[in-house]
Amino acid sequence: LLQAAPLVCDGMPVELLDFKTERDTVLSALRRSGREMHAVCDFCTTRRLRDLLTEGCRILHYSGHGFTHVAPNGTHHSSLAFEDGSGGTHAFEVGKLTAFVKAGSEEGGRPPLDLAFVSACHSVGGGEAFVEAGGPH
């Protein structure tokens, strides 16, 4: 369970989300499943995501802000808010997120994750990034 709670984005304060309720709900559901698993709750940075993928994480629940904007040429771009490690926002563009996650896939075609859940406004692009990286859908 990776949660992005940057304090600022482009010099402006970022709205705080209710991560505690979401975290408690997810962990409660995991306990009720009766399956043995190891859950990790941490801040969402690219380094932490890389570490989890390297360690063999199979299920990812992302909580944070999502962004979408239209470029001057009319193309739509989506990003998920990651933390930059200093309280700021690292807007992780979904195309780069796809390549990042895909780099964590195993030889032989096994997808990098069995399940990715994106809890964010404008989450379609983030969800599609995990599908494009090979995640089942």
Side-chain angles (χ1 to χ4, degrees):
L1 179 62
L2 292 181
Q3 299 177 316
L7 301 174
V8 295
C9 181
D10 296 329
M12 300 296 294
V14 175
E15 176 188 355
L16 297 177
L17 302 173
D18 184 7
F19 288 133
K20 182 182 180 332
T21 299
E22 186 169 11
R23 181 182 62 243
D24 291 349
T25 300
V26 169
L27 294 176
S28 176
L30 292 174
R31 281 191 294 276
R32 287 192 317 271
S33 76
R35 301 197 63 174
E36 186 175 328
M37 61 186 79
H38 175 74
V40 173
C41 299
D42 209 343
F43 297 106
C44 185
T45 64
T46 53
R47 176 175 289 191
R48 189 62 183 126
L49 177 58
R50 182 202 61 214
D51 290 348
L52 287 172
L53 292 172
T54 301
E55 293 165 6
C57 172
R58 302 305 308 160
I59 299 173
L60 173 70
H61 181 105
Y62 166 88
S63 298
H65 291 283
F67 310 102
T68 187
H69 70 277
V70 180
N73 65 1
T75 59
H76 288 77
H77 296 274
S78 297
S79 302
L80 292 179
F82 278 44
E83 295 186 31
D84 67 4
S86 300
T89 300
H90 171 204
F92 205 177
E93 194 270 321
V94 297
K96 292 179 181 177
L97 176 60
T98 297
F100 189 87
V101 173
K102 192 180 279 190
S105 62
E106 298 176 2
E107 293 291 327
R110 184 171 183 199
L113 294 164
D114 294 325
L115 174 68
F117 185 90
V118 179
S119 177
C121 289
H122 310 287
S123 62
V124 171
E128 289 173 348
F130 289 104
V131 170
E132 290 293 320
H137 60 288

